[in-house]
Amino acid sequence: MSVIEEGAKKSGVLWLSLDRPRLAWHTWHDGAIYVVTGGGEQSLPGLTEAGRVQVTLRSKDNGARLVSFDASVEVVDQAEAADAVAALAKDRLNAADGAGLTARWAAESQVVRLTPR
């Protein structure tokens, strides 16, 4: 297991270098990090238009920077990436509409795959 995979699995949040460093919750699934943005979810301005982004993972033990890396950015078709969307929904804490969460995402949000380069 790589340091990136281990860090992404152990911590539920990361930092993305966008207009400024942005904290985002995520999930690790099938070799990539997935985040959701828009539609009442976390605001990650510019992410969906970016070709790549710098990701920083923190240590769950002490909160210090564990690793930073470039990742390619891809907005996914939520129907085609149903397993990843289900994993992301499972890790979504405190959702007001748990049963309708993925339907709301399909209508209002974008799910983004961040693949380490």
Side-chain angles (χ1 to χ4, degrees):
M1 180 180 315
S2 74
V3 128
I4 292 172
E5 179 178 0
E6 185 176 350
K9 284 181 173 182
K10 286 187 176 179
S11 179
V13 296
L14 51 72
W15 291 93
L16 298 173
S17 295
L18 297 168
D19 58 332
R20 62 178 172 79
R22 298 273 182 166
L23 184 66
W25 63 271
H26 72 280
T27 196
W28 177 267
H29 179 76
D30 199 24
I33 293 169
Y34 288 83
V35 297
V36 62
T37 184
E41 294 295 339
Q42 57 199 349
S43 177
L44 302 172
L47 180 63
T48 58
E49 298 82 25
R52 67 179 184 88
V53 68
Q54 184 176 43
V55 178
T56 301
L57 297 173
R58 67 183 183 112
S59 168
K60 185 159 180 132
D61 297 329
N62 61 20
R65 181 175 59 91
L66 180 65
V67 64
S68 292
F69 58 94
D70 283 337
S72 59
V73 175
E74 178 187 0
V75 176
V76 300
D77 179 313
Q78 294 182 47
E80 290 179 12
D83 288 349
V85 172
L88 192 57
K90 180 178 164 247
D91 287 345
R92 173 64 167 97
L93 302 177
N94 304 317
D97 58 344
L101 185 63
T102 57
R104 178 170 57 83
W105 287 352
E108 302 174 7
S109 305
Q110 293 176 300
V111 172
V112 180
R113 177 187 301 120
L114 305 174
T115 306
R117 294 178 135 194

